[in-house]
Amino acid sequence: MAKIKDVAEAAGVSASTVSRVLCNGPVSDKVRKRVEEAMRQLDYRPNLAARRLRSQHTDTIGLIVSDIRNPFFTAVSRAVEDEAYRNGMRVILCNTDENPDKEAMYLRLMQEERVTGVIFAPTRQTVANLDPAALGFPVVMIDRASRDVTTDAVVLDNRRAAAALVEHLLAQGYRDIAGVFGNTSSTGMERHAGFAEAMQQAGLPAPAQFVAPSVEAAEQAVLAMLAAEQRPRALVVSNGVLMLGAVRALKSAGLHWPQDVALAGFDNDVWTELLGDGLTVIEQPVGDIGRAAMAMLLERLDDAGRSPRIVVLQGKLLARGSSAPAA
Amino acid sequence: MAKIKDVAEAAGVSASTVSRVLCNGPVSDKVRKRVEEAMRQLDYRPNLAARRLRSQHTDTIGLIVSDIRNPFFTAVSRAVEDEAYRNGMRVILCNTDENPDKEAMYLRLMQEERVTGVIFAPTRQTVANLDPAALGFPVVMIDRASRDVTTDAVVLDNRRAAAALVEHLLAQGYRDIAGVFGNTSSTGMERHAGFAEAMQQAGLPAPAQFVAPSVEAAEQAVLAMLAAEQRPRALVVSNGVLMLGAVRALKSAGLHWPQDVALAGFDNDVWTELLGDGLTVIEQPVGDIGRAAMAMLLERLDDAGRSPRIVVLQGKLLARGSSAPAA
DNA sequence: GTTGCAATTGAAATCGATCCCAATTTTTGT
DNA sequence: ACAAAAATTGGGATCGATTTCAATTGCAAC
């Protein structure tokens, strides 16, 4: 494969000049044309490893999420990637399965890659232990954030959104409402807080379950709740993955929504509008989240000194059949 | 950030020796321990760009798909990534939106990255024009393949699967069956062929629509088919994305399945089992596809000379409510 | 025809690792 | 204890680009 020296010889110039053509440096039009022609002749491709080594910038960002198969992360990551490539950057995607060891391993990998920055959806545990300053690159957290702000972050207004679900269910006439939340992310905690607060405001108890963030765990937990002698009349479910588990549990228990149990949750996944008369959900602005995260990262690269900020986006309540008024 | 020379000095050895520790070369245990201690002290991270430049292998593979939001590609890509990281390789993911220009651009990028290999789901157009030998790295195609085998590939037995759907619908008593297929991939063509063949075998006409591979395009096309005076009694739909469009079309036309129109398609996406009594689909072994592709790539790297081969995997018919016997 | 200044160009150092080869140390056999 | 063989270590070249700095060229003004 041709290298810069070959191009230089073919064009009768020095390697420096070829490099300048590559980087839009000052070159006369005549020479530039000759060099470009030589590149075409030789089918030249600049070696990115060499370029990165010398120039000390990799134009690469890391995107660390729990599981790309979670439609929320799928959508966010697509937005991040589009935005990254538009800015001439590459993306390294990592799946952690909410496992702190994998998170640590991938953060280490990011250091070896000398990435320009990282967009990260960390577990609670890692948030608590992480020293972002020691990493050597800026981090923008998404979906989850540390309470005490030390890195940039893009999150949903989770308390408000969860409270909105509760208020909606109350307005529809439901009272016995239980919640199901993920136990590994700060997001689950926040949504629980909003749920509990809104229930308390209404003078109601707020029974809640915290489960591992998987369809199966949610399904088991909801089955158990449904089998209890005092079955809840409505369920608030903390995200799309858990909602899938809840729906499976209801189906296998032979129960219908909203007649037997009303449902309301998060994430406007494609299938939520198709089930019965639709599932009531808080739609997250997934595209905006990805784009905002990328934008914050770029701003941070511009100005390393500015104080960390959190972008809080609002969800949108989509009231559908699963929370129709109680009989 | 510490470099290899710093570690060498700290440990009182040469850079070569540190490098040998890094690469598991021959080093005495005593020295190895000293070096590892120095690395820890300095929080040393090897610079991958430098390593790649010198060693001439990047341990990086490219994964080029149309859209990671398509659950089929989401699942395949997760499998590919797991397998890659298990083998100490990194993955660069690219979304082409079935756009040949983007495909060309990303292939070029892969050359600049000097990737070890690429796993690629190409459009028909690119398959036709591509000269894999000129690329400089091995390619394993997934989901789609060129008729005349010049690269390795992992595909479903699309004809068989499509025919199986037809046979199933026939067995259930359906006769007026129409098909909807994507128009950018060889996969759509293959599935159409299987569909047409099976219909012909039964002595039936095989009306088919070819549409752009988007939910919206499928929705429009199916709406039109449903509005025609001779409405089909059953629909074979070529993939999960198009199926979503078909379901939306039926819903908005106020039609039910299987009473008004039976449905059968591809991709066992999570929601397909939840709609009504479930959607009849061919389940693709998505994990196996990803793993097989990665395995083929590794074998090819071992033996560049061996003749290209195609791995053909079988789909699994999941007969569910949407194709229940005609009244 | 100089002089001066700006615009181009080239030579050589450099980024941070690996790799080849020679030098040194350790081990083995007798 | 000594020679030969094996294992370990270091020095220096190298991967392919960018970057710095100095040299050269071109052009305008006098």
Side-chain angles (χ1 to χ4, degrees):
Chain A
M1 172 146 278
K3 31 200 224 180
I4 203 168
K5 233 171 91 184
D6 303 323
V7 176
E9 273 170 30
V13 299
S14 72
S16 321
T17 299
V18 177
S19 173
R20 275 185 280 260
V21 171
L22 241 32
C23 307
N24 284 313
V27 190
S28 69
D29 285 355
K30 205 181 46 178
V31 171
R32 158 164 284 124
K33 288 240 305 250
R34 269 217 324 275
V35 171
E36 282 169 349
E37 176 57 22
M39 287 179 173
R40 218 166 303 122
Q41 292 288 325
L42 297 173
D43 200 32
Y44 170 70
R45 298 283 181 277
N47 182 320
L48 288 180
R51 182 190 288 229
R52 289 184 182 129
L53 173 59
R54 175 63 239 221
S55 72
Q56 302 286 68
H57 45 76
T58 57
D59 291 342
T60 298
I61 71 158
L63 176 58
I64 308 181
V65 301
S66 61
D67 188 348
I68 185 69
R69 286 171 301 190
N70 177 337
F72 171 76
F73 288 121
T74 315
V76 170
S77 104
R78 177 68 212 259
V80 167
E81 278 163 8
D82 285 352
E83 210 60 16
Y85 282 113
R86 270 183 7 88
N87 285 279
M89 317 196 99
R90 261 145 292 297
V91 177
I92 302 180
L93 177 67
C94 307
N95 299 290
T96 65
D97 296 313
E98 312 264 352
N99 176 342
D101 292 338
K102 286 198 192 178
E103 292 182 324
M105 179 194 109
Y106 284 128
L107 284 173
R108 194 185 170 105
L109 173 64
M110 294 303 124
Q111 297 185 299
E112 300 189 350
E113 292 276 2
R114 303 291 193 272
V115 292
T116 304
V118 163
I119 295 175
F120 185 19
T123 58
R124 281 192 299 147
Q125 184 177 332
T126 293
V127 167
N129 302 331
L130 192 69
D131 176 10
L135 249 24
F137 48 73
V139 174
V140 175
M141 300 208 178
I142 53 170
D143 185 49
R144 306 132 189 232
S146 41
R147 202 80 257 38
D148 41 333
V149 193
T150 62
T151 79
D152 295 315
V154 180
V155 296
L156 197 74
D157 188 341
N158 286 308
R159 298 173 95 100
R160 182 81 285 281
L165 286 178
V166 170
E167 288 156 13
H168 169 70
L169 286 170
L170 291 172
Q172 300 289 66
Y174 295 96
R175 287 292 173 275
D176 289 341
I177 310 173
V180 182
F181 304 91
N183 64 7
T184 53
S185 67
S186 65
T187 308
M189 302 301 130
E190 292 285 307
R191 292 179 186 173
H192 171 256
F195 165 78
E197 213 169 272
M199 291 296 279
Q200 195 197 350
Q201 206 124 66
L204 296 168
Q209 286 280 324
F210 293 86
V211 305
S214 74
V215 174
E216 294 71 26
E219 184 171 357
Q220 291 308 314
V222 171
L223 271 177
M225 293 166 88
L226 296 177
E229 57 191 289
Q230 184 69 322
R231 179 170 87 206
R233 189 61 189 77
L235 240 39
V236 168
V237 184
S238 182
N239 65 54
V241 171
L242 303 184
M243 181 58 103
L244 184 55
V247 167
R248 284 200 186 153
L250 282 181
K251 279 217 156 196
S252 78
L255 296 174
H256 299 93
W257 60 88
Q259 299 91 325
D260 299 315
V261 180
L263 285 174
F266 284 79
D267 295 327
N268 185 26
D269 294 346
V270 287
W271 51 273
T272 56
E273 67 159 329
L274 301 174
L275 282 193
D277 296 322
L279 256 35
T280 293
V281 293
I282 297 284
E283 177 180 45
Q284 297 201 62
V286 284
D288 291 341
I289 292 174
R291 282 184 291 272
M294 194 63 209
M296 285 190 91
L297 193 50
L298 293 174
E299 286 167 30
R300 166 67 53 196
L301 296 171
D302 251 19
D303 175 7
R306 74 177 206 167
S307 65
R309 53 192 74 174
I310 293 195
V311 169
V312 178
L313 298 174
Q314 293 300 322
K316 183 174 165 194
L317 176 67
L318 302 179
R320 297 198 277 226
S322 70
S323 60
Chain B
M1 171 146 278
K3 31 201 223 179
I4 203 169
K5 233 171 91 185
D6 303 323
V7 175
E9 273 170 31
V13 298
S14 73
S16 317
T17 298
V18 177
S19 173
R20 274 185 281 262
V21 171
L22 242 32
C23 307
N24 285 314
V27 190
S28 69
D29 285 356
K30 203 180 47 179
V31 171
R32 158 166 283 122
K33 289 242 300 252
R34 269 217 325 274
V35 171
E36 283 169 347
E37 177 56 23
M39 287 180 174
R40 216 166 305 122
Q41 291 289 326
L42 297 174
D43 200 31
Y44 170 70
R45 297 283 181 279
N47 182 320
L48 288 181
R51 183 189 286 227
R52 287 183 184 131
L53 172 59
R54 174 65 240 220
S55 72
Q56 300 287 66
H57 45 78
T58 57
D59 291 342
T60 299
I61 71 158
L63 176 58
I64 309 181
V65 301
S66 61
D67 187 349
I68 185 69
R69 285 170 300 189
N70 178 337
F72 171 77
F73 288 121
T74 315
V76 170
S77 103
R78 177 67 211 259
V80 167
E81 279 163 8
D82 285 353
E83 210 60 15
Y85 282 112
R86 268 181 10 87
N87 285 280
M89 316 196 100
R90 261 146 292 298
V91 177
I92 301 180
L93 176 68
C94 307
N95 300 101
T96 65
D97 296 314
E98 311 264 354
N99 175 344
D101 293 338
K102 286 199 193 177
E103 293 182 321
M105 179 193 110
Y106 284 128
L107 284 174
R108 195 187 169 105
L109 173 63
M110 294 303 123
Q111 297 185 298
E112 300 189 350
E113 291 277 2
R114 303 290 193 274
V115 292
T116 304
V118 163
I119 295 176
F120 185 19
T123 58
R124 281 192 298 147
Q125 183 177 333
T126 293
V127 167
N129 303 331
L130 193 69
D131 175 12
L135 249 26
F137 47 72
V139 174
V140 175
M141 301 213 177
I142 52 170
D143 184 50
R144 306 132 189 231
S146 40
R147 203 79 255 42
D148 41 333
V149 193
T150 62
T151 79
D152 296 315
V154 180
V155 296
L156 197 74
D157 189 342
N158 287 308
R159 299 173 95 100
R160 182 83 285 282
L165 286 178
V166 170
E167 287 156 14
H168 169 69
L169 286 170
L170 291 172
Q172 301 288 66
Y174 295 96
R175 287 293 172 275
D176 289 343
I177 310 174
V180 182
F181 304 91
N183 63 8
T184 54
S185 67
S186 65
T187 308
M189 302 301 130
E190 291 286 307
R191 292 178 187 174
H192 172 256
F195 164 78
E197 212 169 271
M199 291 296 279
Q200 195 196 349
Q201 206 124 67
L204 295 169
Q209 286 280 323
F210 293 87
V211 304
S214 73
V215 174
E216 294 70 26
E219 184 171 356
Q220 291 308 313
V222 172
L223 271 176
M225 294 166 86
L226 295 177
E229 58 193 286
Q230 186 69 320
R231 181 169 84 204
R233 188 64 188 74
L235 241 38
V236 168
V237 184
S238 181
N239 65 54
V241 172
L242 302 184
M243 182 59 104
L244 185 54
V247 166
R248 286 201 184 152
L250 282 182
K251 280 218 157 195
S252 78
L255 297 174
H256 299 92
W257 59 89
Q259 299 92 325
D260 298 315
V261 180
L263 286 174
F266 285 79
D267 295 326
N268 186 26
D269 295 345
V270 287
W271 51 272
T272 56
E273 66 159 331
L274 301 174
L275 282 193
D277 295 321
L279 256 36
T280 293
V281 292
I282 297 284
E283 177 180 45
Q284 296 202 62
V286 284
D288 291 341
I289 292 174
R291 282 184 292 273
M294 194 63 209
M296 285 190 91
L297 193 51
L298 293 172
E299 286 168 31
R300 166 69 52 197
L301 295 171
D302 251 22
D303 175 8
R306 74 177 206 168
S307 63
R309 53 193 74 174
I310 294 195
V311 170
V312 179
L313 300 174
Q314 293 300 323
K316 184 174 166 195
L317 177 67
L318 303 178
R320 300 198 276 226
S322 71
S323 61

